[in-house]
Amino acid sequence: MAAVLRILARRVLLLVPLMLGIVLFVFLVMRFSDADPASAFFQGANPTPRQLHDFREEHGLLDPLPVRYAAFLGDLLHGDLGTSALTRGEVADQVLTALPLTVQLTFLGLGIAVVLSLAGGVTAAIYRDRLPDQIIRVASLTGVAAPGFWLALLMIQYLAVGLGWFPAGGYINPRDSVTGWLWTMTLPALALSLPVAAQLTRIVRTAVIEELDKDYVRTAIGSGLPPRVVVGRNVLRNALINPLTVLGLRVGYLLGGAVVIETIFALPGMGKLMIDAVKNGDPAVVQGVVLTTAVGFVVVNLVIDILHLLVNPRLRDAA
């Protein structure tokens, strides 16, 4: 237990410079971009140069870059992501409104990807080089080659418009109807998760095959243990270490893919919020969405590290 706590403490300490680096990167990108908060604030109002200058002076936009960065960090520590130039509202409020949907979509897609990849990868490994394995390998290759936005358009065309099984867009809050929520989120989650599931299936298959070829598996089965017990209790535990690493990296794909998928299905999440902010020239909202997404990615990878510790005892022994 002490070893686990030491590893977790090191991981958390490493997050501090990482988060500072992310904040600095986003800050510099936004400051050196063409986005001008003053122009966005007066959008459509034909401001005079004096009005633009007064706005920039009032909001510290004329201060030296280190001073502005220090003020930016101070605001972040107080949970202040800035003010939207278009709505005049707090960016944090807009992010908190849109974030739950993106989290729901990402983790629903993640859950589907994990279930499909485990079922497909283990089945393919057990029936190695036989018909089930060949079918799963062809399906996974097809899934890896198919981008999520293309799958989303196909699903809308055939499953929503053609067959009418699902809506082509829109969102129902789970607090209003869990069934309605699943009905509206199924197609977006599938479009988001299938490419990830296809890639993970191939990795799970390879990892399980490597474990099945080891001596301890043959010894356990030869001693009379049922194969399903050996696979479920020993093989999967050892084989899931590498797929877990890839899964942590794929979370970034899911978060990024949610931007496109939410736009296609007209879901009011973080992706649609950022696309609208880019189109309308609202740099504070773009900055808030990017920072929140980056922090979410870092936190999820910390959770993956914790799962690694639980699954792989060698990491705990090395500590």
Side-chain angles (χ1 to χ4, degrees), residues 26-288:
V26 173
F27 173 81
L28 292 176
V29 167
M30 295 305 300
R31 294 310 174 275
F32 288 106
S33 68
D34 293 332
D36 182 12
S39 300
F41 183 84
F42 290 105
Q43 193 172 47
N46 296 320
T48 64
R50 182 65 185 178
Q51 288 176 309
L52 291 173
H53 181 274
D54 290 343
F55 178 88
R56 294 185 180 115
E57 187 175 30
E58 179 184 352
H59 291 83
L61 300 178
L62 301 178
D63 294 337
L65 208 58
V67 176
R68 293 166 61 187
Y69 179 63
F72 180 63
L73 274 180
D75 291 339
L76 286 181
L77 291 175
H78 291 89
D80 184 2
L81 294 176
T83 303
S84 169
L86 297 179
T87 65
R88 310 296 193 266
E90 293 292 329
V91 173
D93 294 337
Q94 297 184 43
V95 168
L96 289 175
T97 300
L99 182 60
L101 189 147
T102 300
V103 171
Q104 293 166 22
L105 177 60
T106 300
F107 281 94
L108 183 59
L110 185 65
I112 293 173
V114 168
V115 171
L116 291 178
S117 61
L118 283 177
V122 173
T123 302
I126 292 175
Y127 293 95
R128 183 187 341 179
D129 297 328
R130 285 180 278 177
L131 183 61
D133 181 28
Q134 294 171 358
I135 293 173
I136 292 172
R137 287 163 69 182
V138 170
S140 63
L141 280 173
T142 304
V144 169
F149 72 88
W150 182 73
L151 291 174
L153 295 175
L154 285 182
M155 290 177 182
I156 290 174
Q157 177 67 33
Y158 293 105
L159 299 181
V161 177
L163 298 176
W165 290 352
F166 300 96
Y171 173 70
I172 296 177
N173 196 301
R175 289 176 294 184
D176 299 328
S177 172
V178 175
T179 304
W181 174 77
L182 283 173
W183 192 49
T184 56
M185 294 291 282
T186 297
L187 289 189
L190 281 174
L192 188 64
S193 66
L194 287 180
V196 176
Q199 184 182 26
L200 285 175
T201 297
R202 295 170 59 81
I203 296 171
V204 170
R205 175 187 178 275
T206 302
V208 173
I209 286 176
E210 289 177 355
E211 286 298 317
L212 289 174
D213 288 339
K214 291 183 177 179
D215 292 337
Y216 80 87
V217 175
R218 289 192 288 268
T219 302
I221 294 176
S223 65
L225 285 175
R228 65 177 182 275
V229 174
V230 177
V231 171
R233 184 179 299 172
N234 302 106
V235 172
L236 273 182
R237 183 182 179 89
N238 295 326
L240 289 182
I241 296 172
N242 289 335
L244 267 178
T245 303
V246 178
L247 182 63
L249 298 175
R250 290 294 87 192
V251 170
Y253 168 85
L254 291 171
L255 288 170
V259 174
V260 178
I261 298 300
E262 287 173 4
T263 303
I264 293 174
F265 287 94
L267 298 174
M270 295 279 280
K272 188 173 184 302
L273 179 64
M274 185 168 70
I275 294 296
D276 290 344
V278 171
K279 288 192 301 184
N280 297 324
D282 198 344
V285 175
V286 175
Q287 179 177 268

